[in-house]
Amino acid sequence: KDVPSMLDPIVLGSVGVVALTALCPPTMALGSAGVMALLLKEDLPLKQAACPHATMQTHLQTELEVAKAQLKAVKTAHSAALAVLDAERTAHATMQARLQAELEAAKTAHAAVLGPVQASLQHARLHAEFLASLTNTYGQHIKILVDEITVLPENAELEARFAHAQAAMQEAGCSPAELAVRYVYHACHAELAATIAHEGLQLQPCISCDRGVHHDDGWFGRHTKGVYVSKHADYTLYYSNECDAGPNATGIVVMLKAVFGRAKYFPRRAPGPIEPTAGYHCHEGSEHLEHFIFNPAQTVPVAVVRWRAITTPRAGILHAGKP
């Protein structure tokens, strides 16, 4: 009676009989007939049970199907998430493009407003610098007026050349005062002004020097070895027309920014041609009116000024009516 509960899942054959016989007490002499009698006596029906391996296979197959369904659901959710992400990326890219376009439009509008304002300020600044440089070279009865100032656009090549020259002077130990940027003037004939404006000052050969013809070779430096400028615009006006600026005279002067570097001062004109002095970057003439700069890269043209001279009969009168 202890055995039947174990017989349900067993399909009895010769192996089953042996197994059942092994489970019986030694007092029971069970053979195949005895086993059958026992089964009939207890009225236990024989059932054909499923094999444990097949049951396990069915169970695993069910779990596999469930797992496949879950994986499919995950893939579906992942695809939906990717679609949302792509949509958000597209919206972000569209927004970024729109904002970039708005930014560029704002920059353009800002430049359209700011550009003329900056140009006007620069024009006024250079005009004021020009007037401040005047030193009454031609006396109180001659007044220099500005007819037109053409502010030059920035020239990247000349600016780079200037920066390189300034850096070289700094490496040579020039002081901050020697490296300071200031405005200077160079008067010339009208046809040369445009060339200087675009190409800057350049060292030029001299036919008279080559032929040995006696001429002005420069008071403070040989003119083929450097360029002459002055801090005072009216001091240079003679060279516009190679004559003094009298009443109603007109001319052109190029305004430049410059860095002098280390200057050698000449208290008076030295006889004969003067070569650039080693260890210096320019010569400074007597009265501090002229600078002979060895390297034209130390200058950059910033404006072209058209000037004219007028007489002022009221100059020098301190008290009207006084004898």
Side-chain angles (χ1 to χ4, degrees):
K1 293 184 179 180
D2 298 327
V3 175
S5 61
M6 303 177 60
L7 298 180
D8 263 347
I10 299 176
V11 178
L12 291 177
S14 60
V15 177
V17 170
V18 173
L20 182 58
T21 304
L23 293 174
C24 292
T27 54
M28 295 179 63
L30 291 179
S32 57
V35 171
M36 293 302 295
L38 178 61
L39 291 174
L40 292 172
K41 180 180 179 181
E42 295 297 331
D43 196 24
L44 295 174
L46 287 175
K47 298 181 179 178
Q48 187 175 4
C51 176
H53 176 71
T55 302
M56 179 62 70
Q57 187 176 17
T58 302
H59 176 70
L60 292 177
Q61 186 65 34
T62 302
E63 290 185 349
L64 180 60
E65 295 300 326
V66 172
K68 286 182 177 180
Q70 292 175 343
L71 180 60
K72 184 177 180 180
V74 170
K75 287 183 177 179
T76 302
H78 182 258
S79 298
L82 287 179
V84 172
L85 181 60
D86 287 341
E88 290 179 351
R89 285 177 178 172
T90 302
H92 176 74
T94 303
M95 176 66 73
Q96 188 175 23
R98 183 175 64 81
L99 291 177
Q100 187 64 33
E102 291 178 356
L103 178 61
E104 294 302 324
K107 286 181 178 180
T108 302
H110 181 263
V113 174
L114 187 61
V117 172
Q118 289 179 327
S120 179
L121 288 175
Q122 178 70 347
H123 185 278
R125 186 181 301 114
L126 296 181
H127 192 171
E129 287 284 348
F130 179 88
L131 295 178
S133 78
L134 301 178
T135 188
N136 291 328
T137 298
Y138 295 99
Q140 294 181 339
H141 294 281
I142 297 294
K143 185 175 182 179
I144 305 300
L145 301 180
V146 175
D147 280 341
E148 181 184 8
I149 292 183
T150 302
V151 178
L152 302 176
E154 182 175 312
N155 186 315
E157 182 179 352
L158 295 181
E159 290 290 348
R161 187 183 74 166
F162 180 81
H164 180 74
Q166 193 175 29
M169 287 187 286
Q170 185 175 14
E171 291 180 1
C174 288
S175 66
E178 293 169 334
L179 294 172
V181 178
R182 63 197 72 211
Y183 289 109
V184 296
Y185 303 88
H186 180 90
C188 59
H189 296 295
E191 60 270 17
L192 293 178
T195 300
I196 295 174
H198 290 90
E199 301 178 7
L201 292 174
Q202 305 286 339
L203 298 181
Q204 298 292 336
C206 177
I207 296 177
S208 297
C209 288
D210 293 340
R211 294 177 178 177
V213 178
H214 178 72
H215 66 294
D216 181 4
D217 194 31
W219 284 20
F220 305 106
R222 185 187 289 270
H223 66 165
T224 57
K225 298 296 184 66
V227 293
Y228 276 93
V229 297
S230 175
K231 294 182 292 183
H232 305 285
D234 51 342
Y235 180 79
T236 69
L237 300 187
Y238 173 89
Y239 300 96
S240 290
N241 305 303
E242 295 185 358
C243 63
D244 293 338
N248 302 317
T250 61
I252 291 178
V253 61
V254 180
M255 186 176 184
L256 310 101
K257 68 177 183 179
V259 56
F260 291 151
R262 191 173 293 112
K264 179 177 175 59
Y265 176 67
F266 286 75
R268 63 184 63 85
R269 178 185 180 185
I274 303 173
E275 298 293 330
T277 304
Y280 292 87
H281 302 97
C282 71
H283 292 163
E284 185 175 7
S286 59
E287 315 300 335
H288 309 284
L289 290 171
E290 294 185 44
H291 280 80
F292 175 72
I293 296 177
F294 308 158
N295 184 4
Q298 295 170 226
T299 66
V300 176
V302 296
V304 175
V305 182
R306 293 185 177 275
W307 59 270
R308 62 187 169 92
I310 62 171
T311 56
T312 56
R314 292 180 295 279
I317 299 175
L318 299 178
H319 302 285
K322 184 176 180 179

